[in-house]
Amino acid sequence: KMQQHTSAGNSTKSRGRVASGKPTHSRSYPRGVGLDFKKLAGLTLMSYIDHHGVNVRNEAPPSELAVAVARHFEAMEVDEETVINGFLARLSAGRELGPLAPSPNQHRMQPVHEYDRYAAASADYARSTAYFDGTAPGPLVRRRRRSKNAARPAEQVAAKITRTNENGSWILASVQKFYAESETYDVQDEDDTTKLIRLPWTHVMRLSSGTEGCFTKNTKVMAIFPETTSFYRAIVSKDAVWKLPKNSTTPVVKELILKFEDDEDTEGHTPHRRVPARFVIPLPEAYFHEDDDDVDLVPMSYSST
């Protein structure tokens, strides 16, 4: 896996206001930008700002955010030849080999070596058009991202209520409130709704949507043990089965088959147990990893079996 930071930039080129590190509060929209960023939603502007590390005031209104984005966009330098050649290379590979992510039924009918060739072409394109300026996202950018991705009120989550990492220390809870300034949550235990529990953001994990596709066979996970509301360590013991819900174009995994730790029977055998995919989550060290600092440039491979 190649370590790359996602902030788009080039260490050998001037990055305008980003390189200077000095926030500007000008509301004057740059004349050289033909795009009207003022028409974009605030969340879209914040996504751009977080991704590129644009310096803005915490209390900046949408109009000021649009100006900051436009000025950064205007100052951005792009090697047009590299981008166009990379795009054409990927387009050529796609014309020969079809879409990068075929449906679950389609990819089984295609020879594996074709997807290996396409994966290699896509990886070359990613490397040739990627930027690395040697700078990880700063604390403010990370904080904004956590706030943007925080669990919402009434959402069920996994919550760590003990100071130890023993099995069962994470339980099923529901969010009552998220405090952006302190990055803490108020949650309620699903088995005891009489009291609120205040927890730091590192003690709350959002549940799976079933569409992530990260729980392949032999993956170490945490999951709710059947007929309980506590999460225990387990391993995915069988490949997931993807299904396409009615009136949807996004395949999902409804349930996963797991083997839990310390679940051996009297003969020393560990049974396979079915758990709804919603209640299967990564281990904390994987969940809280800053994945924006670490980009896997090799697309997923496909099996012909």
Side-chain angles (χ1 to χ4, degrees):
K1 203 170 187 181
M2 181 179 290
Q3 299 295 320
Q4 284 219 354
H5 298 294
T6 60
S7 54
N10 191 315
S11 59
T12 63
K13 299 178 180 179
S14 172
R15 306 305 297 166
R17 302 180 188 280
V18 177
S20 69
K22 297 180 181 179
T24 59
H25 305 153
S26 173
R27 295 178 180 272
S28 176
Y29 200 87
R31 295 181 178 180
V33 177
L35 297 175
D36 189 358
F37 287 100
K38 297 191 292 295
K39 293 182 178 180
L40 297 181
L43 286 177
T44 303
L45 294 171
M46 287 306 303
S47 295
Y48 182 102
I49 288 168
D50 288 344
H51 180 75
H52 292 283
V54 181
N55 289 310
V56 296
R57 298 182 300 150
N58 289 334
E59 66 276 14
S63 59
E64 187 175 314
L65 298 180
V67 171
V69 168
R71 291 186 176 279
H72 177 271
F73 184 81
E74 182 184 39
M76 185 179 295
E77 296 182 12
V78 177
D79 187 333
E80 294 181 0
E81 183 177 356
T82 299
V83 174
I84 292 174
N85 288 341
F87 172 76
L88 292 176
R90 184 165 184 173
L91 183 63
S92 176
R95 189 178 295 120
E96 292 181 18
L97 303 173
L100 178 61
S103 69
N105 292 329
Q106 287 179 323
H107 79 255
R108 296 181 184 277
M109 298 183 293
Q110 300 292 337
V112 175
H113 68 87
E114 290 190 0
Y115 286 100
D116 290 341
R117 286 167 52 207
Y118 191 19
S122 299
D124 287 341
Y125 168 75
R127 291 188 179 95
S128 66
T129 58
Y131 290 95
F132 175 61
D133 65 2
T135 305
L140 182 59
V141 171
R142 295 178 191 272
R143 177 183 285 268
R144 285 202 193 107
R145 289 176 182 170
R146 289 195 294 265
S147 180
K148 182 174 65 175
N149 297 320
R152 303 298 185 254
E155 179 179 340
Q156 283 188 318
V157 295
K160 184 181 179 183
I161 58 171
T162 69
R163 294 184 178 180
T164 66
N165 292 316
E166 62 186 11
N167 260 337
S169 60
W170 291 80
I171 64 168
L172 186 64
S174 61
V175 172
Q176 302 302 302
K177 190 172 183 179
F178 174 71
Y179 300 91
E181 291 186 1
S182 60
E183 293 192 289
T184 56
Y185 286 92
D186 280 344
V187 303
Q188 281 184 339
D189 183 346
E190 290 287 32
D191 283 344
D192 182 7
T193 60
T194 60
K195 60 181 180 181
L196 289 176
I197 306 172
R198 180 68 58 85
L199 296 173
W201 67 271
T202 52
H203 285 207
V204 175
M205 296 170 62
R206 303 185 75 172
L207 302 183
S208 170
S209 66
T211 62
E212 295 88 355
C214 56
F215 299 128
T216 55
K217 186 177 179 180
N218 296 324
T219 302
K220 293 181 179 180
V221 298
M222 290 200 311
I224 288 184
F225 193 84
E227 299 183 6
T228 75
T229 56
S230 296
F231 289 82
Y232 293 86
R233 287 186 290 273
I235 187 170
V236 179
S237 56
K238 293 189 178 182
D239 287 324
V241 177
W242 291 85
K243 296 183 179 180
L244 192 63
K246 188 177 181 180
N247 300 324
S248 174
T249 59
T250 304
V252 299
V253 174
K254 293 291 186 181
E255 65 178 9
L256 288 162
I257 299 177
L258 314 174
K259 284 186 175 182
F260 284 89
E261 285 188 4
D262 305 322
D263 190 30
E264 297 86 356
D265 57 23
T266 55
E267 297 181 355
H269 300 299
T270 302
H272 297 279
R273 296 187 183 273
R274 296 178 181 272
V275 178
R278 171 175 169 76
F279 298 130
V280 181
I281 57 179
L283 296 177
E285 54 267 31
Y287 180 90
F288 292 109
H289 171 65
E290 291 285 354
D291 57 357
D292 285 331
D293 295 345
D294 188 348
V295 179
D296 189 348
L297 295 181
V298 181
M300 65 180 292
S301 61
Y302 296 95
S303 171
S304 59
T305 59

